[in-house]
């Protein structure tokens, strides 16, 4: 199953393009669910302090027998811990919950512009990175203006920005900014959280043509966009289904058809207002 491509981030760190997300996986179920994902072949897990399931992620990796360096682990700093000192403390707490001495990627979960603390928070991230606590550092839900402010006021550019992105919210402006500045795009809620997007008839027709499911067609679109993606499921069959993306390819016309579905429709919060 070693056929997941990797993306080389701007600082040389390699990240598997397909991973497994654990938002809304109940803490008590997380170890079992992540064990299923590791068994299916996933080697990249996306968690966050706010998901309250870092312990289960760490326990699953520890019990899997897979060497730690073969699994790419991301966690995120929650909004109420922004600021230099509290970030440094909270990062240690995340490591302790994960039972790890480092993570692969650490993200500021939201810019929370009303708090106006993400520049100081980022300076703490730079410290954590330089001390080896995180192999690479990035942000999530940052807008172009937030990225430009970090660029102007700090030394290190985030290697990734993890944003809401799916066929109904394609984020052209941010994607172009990322491309121009060598920031990798991570697409959250890639399946539109399993809602109506999965019934879209255009996607249905594309999926049928390839003998694949709607979910697989959508995830393949993310992969061909060049994004990093980590669908979530607690159903073992779907966990395996979402991993089977590398034996088919969407045509340029099919990529265009999906591009035409953009509605600018958010399912999650607006980063300008969320704090
Ligand atoms: P998702 O788009 O991955 O959708 C998950 C839901 O889709 C599942 O609960 C299930 O209902 C359905 N589903 C999954 N596989 C399916 C399949 N094969 N067939 C049919 N239905 C299927 O939603 P998500 O969990 O919100 O996003 C994925 C990950 O992105 C999260 O787990 C988390 O790691 C990350 N995320 C990050 C942020 C952020 O602010 N940074 C916000 C939300 C999510």
């Amino acid at each position: 199953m070693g056929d997941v491509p990797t993306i080389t981030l701007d600082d040389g760190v390699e990240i598997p393009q397909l991973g497994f997300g654990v938002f809304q996986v109940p803490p008590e179920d997380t170890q079992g669910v992540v064990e299923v994902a590791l068994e299916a072949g996933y080697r990249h897990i996306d968690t966050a302090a706010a998901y309250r399931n870092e312990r289960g992620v760490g326990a699953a990796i520890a019990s899997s027998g897979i060497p730690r360096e073969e699994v790419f682990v991301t966690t995120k700093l929650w909004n109420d811990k922004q600021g230099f000192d509290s970030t440094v403390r909270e990062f240690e707490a995340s490591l302790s919950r994960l039972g790890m001495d480092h993570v692969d990627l650490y993200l500021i979960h939201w810019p929370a512009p009303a708090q106006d603390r993400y520049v100081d928070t980022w300076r703490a991230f730079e410290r954590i990175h330089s001390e080896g606590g995180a192999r690479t550092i990035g942000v999530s839900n940052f807008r172009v203006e937030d990225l430009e402010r970090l660029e102007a006021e700090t030394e290190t550019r985030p290697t990734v920005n993890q944003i809401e992105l799916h066929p109904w919210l394609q984020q052209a402006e941010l994607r172009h900014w990322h491309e121009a500045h060598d920031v990798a795009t991570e697409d959250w809620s890639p399946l539109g959280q399993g809602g109506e997007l999965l019934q879209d008839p255009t996607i249905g027709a594309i999926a049928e043509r390839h003998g694949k499911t709607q979910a697989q067609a959508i995830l393949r679109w993310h992969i061909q966009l060049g994004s990093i993606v980590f669908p979530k499921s607690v159903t073992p069959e779907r966990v395996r289904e979402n991993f089977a993306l590398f034996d088919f390819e969407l045509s340029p016309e099919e990529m265009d058809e999906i591009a035409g579905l953009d509605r600018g429709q958010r399912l999650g919060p607006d980063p300008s207002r969320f704090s």
Side-chain angles (χ1 to χ4, degrees):
M1 293 298 250
D3 43 16
V4 173
T6 59
I7 288 193
T8 304
L9 302 175
D10 198 32
D11 58 5
V13 170
E14 282 195 40
I15 180 169
Q17 197 181 0
L18 176 64
F20 184 72
V22 295
F23 177 45
Q24 290 176 326
V25 178
E28 63 278 16
D29 299 341
T30 302
Q31 179 173 350
V33 168
V34 174
E35 282 170 357
V36 168
L38 293 170
E39 180 72 21
Y42 294 84
R43 292 294 180 271
H44 166 185
I45 312 292
D46 184 90
T47 183
Y51 304 167
R52 297 177 44 251
N53 56 22
E54 290 167 307
R55 281 182 206 285
V57 170
I61 294 169
S63 75
S64 70
I66 300 166
R68 168 66 187 89
E69 63 275 16
E70 288 180 19
V71 187
F72 192 100
V73 177
T74 299
T75 195
K76 317 186 189 84
L77 177 91
W78 189 240
N79 305 350
D80 63 352
K81 298 295 193 300
Q82 283 213 32
F84 190 94
D85 292 338
S86 55
T87 295
V88 171
R89 276 197 302 274
E90 176 62 8
F91 177 67
E92 288 303 320
S94 269
L95 282 186
S96 146
R97 288 186 292 261
L98 286 160
M100 294 175 182
D101 62 4
H102 72 280
V103 294
D104 296 281
L105 171 61
Y106 197 37
L107 300 177
I108 302 182
H109 207 143
W110 290 88
Q115 294 188 33
D116 196 21
R117 289 194 294 182
Y118 66 70
V119 171
D120 276 349
T121 303
W122 187 250
R123 294 200 174 104
F125 270 55
E126 290 176 317
R127 157 93 65 90
I128 288 164
H129 179 241
S130 71
E131 291 176 349
R135 292 175 59 227
T136 189
I137 50 175
V139 294
S140 179
N141 299 302
F142 272 44
R143 306 161 300 170
V144 167
E145 66 201 89
D146 305 319
L147 294 164
E148 286 183 340
R149 186 161 169 215
L150 283 190
E151 190 90 0
E153 297 184 31
T154 70
E155 303 299 317
T156 317
R157 183 184 291 157
T159 56
V160 315
N161 188 16
Q162 181 179 126
I163 57 175
E164 180 179 346
L165 202 156
H166 42 72
W168 287 351
L169 181 72
Q170 298 192 17
Q171 301 267 28
E173 186 199 7
L174 264 169
R175 265 167 46 210
H176 292 145
W177 197 95
H178 293 168
E179 271 164 32
H181 295 82
D182 298 317
V183 174
T185 305
E186 293 194 333
D187 300 353
W188 66 252
S189 293
L191 298 173
Q193 297 175 353
E196 268 180 69
L197 174 64
L198 288 174
Q199 316 302 326
D200 186 286
T202 303
I203 292 167
I206 293 172
E208 205 178 318
R209 219 173 288 146
H210 290 277
K212 290 284 177 176
T213 66
Q214 311 259 88
Q216 287 170 323
I218 295 171
L219 293 170
R220 183 67 209 183
W221 172 79
H222 288 276
I223 295 286
Q224 287 182 222
L225 274 189
S227 291
I228 299 155
V229 72
F230 24 80
K232 170 253 176 184
S233 173
V234 295
T235 310
E237 241 167 59
R238 288 175 169 177
V239 171
R240 290 189 282 272
E241 173 185 325
N242 295 346
F243 194 73
L245 307 179
F246 301 103
D247 58 354
F248 74 112
E249 199 170 330
L250 304 184
S251 67
E253 294 73 27
E254 289 168 334
M255 291 297 288
D256 287 346
E257 278 182 70
I258 299 181
L261 299 179
D262 193 12
R263 307 172 171 182
Q265 185 181 332
R266 278 186 196 285
L267 301 170
D270 181 341
S272 301
R273 288 193 285 274
F274 195 63
S275 61

